[in-house]
Amino acid sequence: EAIASYRNAIRIDNAHADALLELGISYNDLRKYEKSIILFEKVLKLDPKSASCHYNLGIAYKAKNKLYESYSSYKRALEINPHYAEAWNGIGSVYKEMGKLDEAISAHNKALEINPYYSEAHNNLGIIFDDNGRLEDAIIHYNKALRSSPDFAEAYNSLGVTHSKQCKTDKAISHYKAAIDLNPNYAEAYNNLGVAYVNQNMFDEAIEQYKMAIEINPHYAEAHNNLGITYTKKAKFTLAIAHYKQAIKINPGYAAAYYNIGITYTKKKMYDPAIDSLKKTIELNPDDESAHYNLGIVYSKKRMYDDAILEYQKVIDANPGLPSVHYNLGIAYREKGMLLQARREVYLYKKLNSRT
C-alpha cells in the first residue's frame, strides 16, 4: 500500500524527491536492493545533499556486499550531517566487514555519544567484542541494548551466541527462544537454537529448528550445512548429503560443507566422491589440517599409500603433536613395507599418547 502511494506520487511528479526516497526505503525493507539503488541515485540527482538518501544508499550497497560504495555513501551522509547516529553505526558495520576493528569500535562509540540509547549500535559493538573474545564486554552492550529496547530480537540472539561460547547452553537456548518469540521469522535464531540443541545431543529438536530456518530462508547455506551435520550424527547419510549439496549450490565457496560431505561420503564408503570433496576443501582452505588428515584416511582405505603418506606428513609438518596422525602414518608405512619408518611413527604415537 505504501509502495503504491509513493508510485502514485512519482507518476504525478517524477521529480518528487521525497516520494522517490520513501519508495527506495520501502524497497530496502523488502530487500529489493537493485531497485532501491536506482531510486536513491535519482534522488541524489535532485538533491545531492540528502543525508538520508546517502545513508539509505549505504544500507543497500552493504546488503549487496559493495563495501567501498557503502562506505562512501555513509561517509557522504556524515559529511552533510556529522551528528547522524545511524550513519555512524552504518559506517561502523562496514569497517567491521573490512576488518578495520578499531575504526568500527570508534564509529559505534560515536553513534552512542550522539544517542546513548541506540540499541543497534550497542548490539553491533557487542558483536565486535564477542568476535574478539571480550565476552563480558559483549554481554554488557547486549544488556544495554535490551534495556533501551526490550523487544530487540537481535540482541537476544546475540546474547545467545555469547552464552554458547561460554558453554552456558541453557541460557543460550533461553535467549534464542526469546528472539524467536519476538520475531517468529528470525531464521538465524532458529539456526542458532538448532546448534545449541546439538550441543545437548537433542538431535531431533535441532532438526526441527534447522528446518524452520530453511523454511523461512531456503537460501540459508549455513542452516543446510548444520542440518546435514545433524543427519550425519543420526546416520541418515543420504539426507545429510542432500543438504550439504544444497549448501554448496547456494555457496560454491563453502569449504566446511565440502569437508562435511567428504566425511559423510567416507562413512558411506563412497571413497572417490569423498576424495573429490576433501580435495575441494583443501583447494578452498589449504591449511585445513582435518581435511588433509581425513584425505589421508580415505587414500589409505583405497590402498593409495603414497598419497596417504603425503597427506599425513602435511599435517605433521603443521602440527607434530597429534598422536592419531603418527599412528595412521605408521600403518601406511607398514603397508608399504617401510618398517623402519613405521616403527618410528608407532614410537612417536606411544610417546605422544602417554602425555595426553
Side-chain angles (χ1 to χ4, degrees):
E1 186 177 335
I3 287 176
S5 298
Y6 299 136
R7 281 178 171 169
N8 187 54
I10 292 164
R11 273 195 293 269
I12 295 169
D13 179 4
N14 195 44
H16 197 314
D18 289 343
L20 287 168
L21 176 59
E22 293 300 327
L23 181 57
I25 292 170
S26 296
Y27 280 131
N28 264 5
D29 292 341
L30 293 171
R31 300 182 180 182
K32 295 182 177 181
Y33 300 112
E34 293 87 352
K35 290 185 176 182
S36 68
I37 288 169
I38 292 169
L39 289 167
F40 294 141
E41 288 175 346
K42 286 183 178 180
V43 173
L44 292 174
K45 288 179 180 178
L46 298 168
D47 182 6
K49 292 188 177 181
S50 172
S52 178
C53 187
H54 285 290
Y55 165 71
N56 283 287
L57 183 57
I59 292 173
Y61 278 135
K62 183 172 184 294
K64 296 286 291 178
N65 202 35
K66 295 184 175 182
L67 297 183
Y68 178 77
E69 291 87 344
S70 179
Y71 165 79
S72 298
S73 296
Y74 287 133
K75 188 171 184 290
R76 182 62 183 134
L78 290 167
E79 288 169 353
I80 297 165
N81 179 6
H83 301 289
Y84 200 159
E86 290 82 0
W88 280 111
N89 183 61
I91 204 168
S93 66
V94 173
Y95 279 134
K96 177 180 181 293
E97 293 300 313
M98 290 177 167
K100 299 179 178 181
L101 298 185
D102 290 339
E103 290 91 338
I105 291 169
S106 178
H108 291 310
N109 279 327
K110 183 66 176 178
L112 291 169
E113 285 177 20
I114 297 165
N115 179 5
Y117 303 103
Y118 190 3
S119 299
E120 188 175 340
H122 278 298
N123 186 60
N124 287 337
L125 197 51
I127 291 170
I128 293 172
F129 288 143
D130 176 279
D131 288 346
N132 288 275
R134 295 171 58 181
L135 303 186
E136 293 302 329
D137 288 331
I139 289 170
I140 288 169
H141 281 282
Y142 298 144
N143 284 328
K144 285 182 178 180
L146 288 169
R147 280 198 292 273
S148 299
S149 302
D151 294 336
F152 191 15
E154 287 83 356
Y156 279 110
N157 181 65
S158 297
L159 265 174
V161 171
T162 303
H163 283 309
S164 288
K165 291 182 178 180
Q166 294 178 320
C167 298
K168 297 177 180 178
T169 307
D170 289 337
K171 277 190 173 183
I173 288 172
S174 174
H175 289 306
Y176 295 140
K177 286 181 175 179
I180 290 166
D181 286 343
L182 290 166
N183 180 4
N185 293 313
Y186 197 169
E188 185 180 349
Y190 284 108
N191 178 67
N192 290 337
L193 181 56
V195 173
Y197 280 141
V198 167
N199 289 338
Q200 293 196 328
N201 295 321
M202 298 168 65
F203 300 133
D204 291 334
E205 292 84 349
I207 286 168
E208 290 306 310
Q209 302 309 312
Y210 295 138
K211 285 182 176 179
M212 283 297 299
I214 292 166
E215 182 179 330
I216 294 164
N217 180 6
H219 302 289
Y220 195 169
E222 184 179 346
H224 281 289
N225 182 60
N226 287 336
L227 183 53
I229 291 170
T230 311
Y231 278 134
T232 297
K233 289 179 181 293
K234 288 177 67 68
K236 295 184 176 182
F237 300 132
T238 302
L239 284 170
I241 288 168
H243 283 283
Y244 295 137
K245 285 183 175 180
Q246 188 62 27
I248 291 165
K249 182 179 179 181
I250 296 164
N251 179 5
Y254 199 168
Y258 281 107
Y259 174 80
N260 290 326
I261 199 171
I263 296 301
T264 306
Y265 279 135
T266 303
K267 291 178 183 291
K268 282 177 66 69
K269 300 183 179 180
M270 298 170 65
Y271 298 132
D272 289 334
I275 289 170
D276 291 340
S277 299
L278 292 168
K279 280 184 173 180
K280 184 64 177 181
T281 307
I282 292 165
E283 177 187 324
L284 293 166
N285 185 7
D287 297 326
D288 189 331
E289 293 175 14
S290 294
H292 284 291
Y293 175 64
N294 282 285
L295 183 55
I297 295 288
V298 180
Y299 281 139
S300 290
K301 290 181 181 295
K302 285 179 65 69
R303 300 182 181 277
M304 299 168 64
Y305 295 115
D306 288 332
D307 292 310
I309 288 167
L310 181 62
E311 295 303 322
Y312 293 141
Q313 195 59 59
K314 287 176 182 176
V315 180
I316 290 170
D317 288 345
N319 188 352
L322 297 173
S324 61
V325 186
H326 289 282
Y327 177 80
N328 283 292
L329 179 56
I331 291 174
Y333 278 135
R334 186 190 67 195
E335 293 297 322
K336 279 184 62 66
M338 301 170 68
L339 301 183
L340 181 62
Q341 292 91 333
R343 283 195 291 271
R344 181 192 67 205
E345 295 303 323
V346 170
Y347 167 76
L348 290 170
Y349 161 73
K350 291 180 178 179
K351 182 177 179 181
L352 290 167
N353 213 34
S354 67
R355 295 175 184 173
T356 58

